[in-house]
Amino acid sequence: MNKKSFENLLEEKKILWNDMVKITIINPFKKRWEFWKENHLSFEGALGYKKGDNMVDLCTRDPNDSFNPIFLYFDFEQIIGIEKLKNIRL
């Protein structure tokens, strides 16, 4: 996916900044011969992307520390899909 197709997908699905989303990416740690590892990884959190940004960021909960969030940054080429979530609590 590139930047333009990502922004078109956001418009199509009516996803805005700070909406709760689920981003699916290609697993960057999987080797070809490691067939037991998953091909895709999914992350849920608040979208921090605004039109014109160079990277997509996601604010999500740290499973080890509930008071401090984690900010994840993704390149457009890593992203496979994005879905808007309803009724989710972090």
Side-chain angles (χ1 to χ4, degrees):
M1 185 176 298
N2 59 20
K3 185 174 184 176
K4 181 138 178 79
S5 62
F6 181 76
E7 289 179 352
N8 289 340
L9 191 60
L10 292 180
E11 282 184 32
E12 178 183 309
K13 295 187 178 195
K14 297 182 174 129
I15 299 174
L16 301 172
W17 175 82
N18 211 26
D19 280 345
M20 298 304 291
V21 297
K22 179 179 181 180
I23 292 181
T24 306
I25 65 165
I26 297 171
N27 187 353
F29 304 109
K30 183 181 187 289
K31 308 288 188 258
R32 278 187 197 197
W33 53 271
E34 296 175 324
F35 57 88
W36 61 88
K37 288 188 179 179
E38 294 187 39
N39 292 331
H40 312 301
L41 299 174
S42 295
F43 300 95
E44 296 179 352
L47 182 67
Y49 177 79
K50 297 179 296 298
K51 195 169 190 169
D53 286 351
N54 292 327
M55 305 250 339
V56 177
D57 62 298
L58 188 73
C59 178
T60 189
R61 183 173 56 109
D62 184 353
N64 300 321
D65 185 5
S66 60
F67 295 108
N68 293 320
I70 295 176
F71 290 92
L72 303 172
Y73 297 91
F74 304 106
D75 197 11
F76 295 104
E77 286 79 31
Q78 291 178 304
I79 298 173
I80 297 171
I82 185 167
E83 296 293 325
K84 190 172 185 177
L85 299 176
K86 297 177 178 135
N87 300 329
I88 185 168
R89 295 166 70 189
L90 283 181

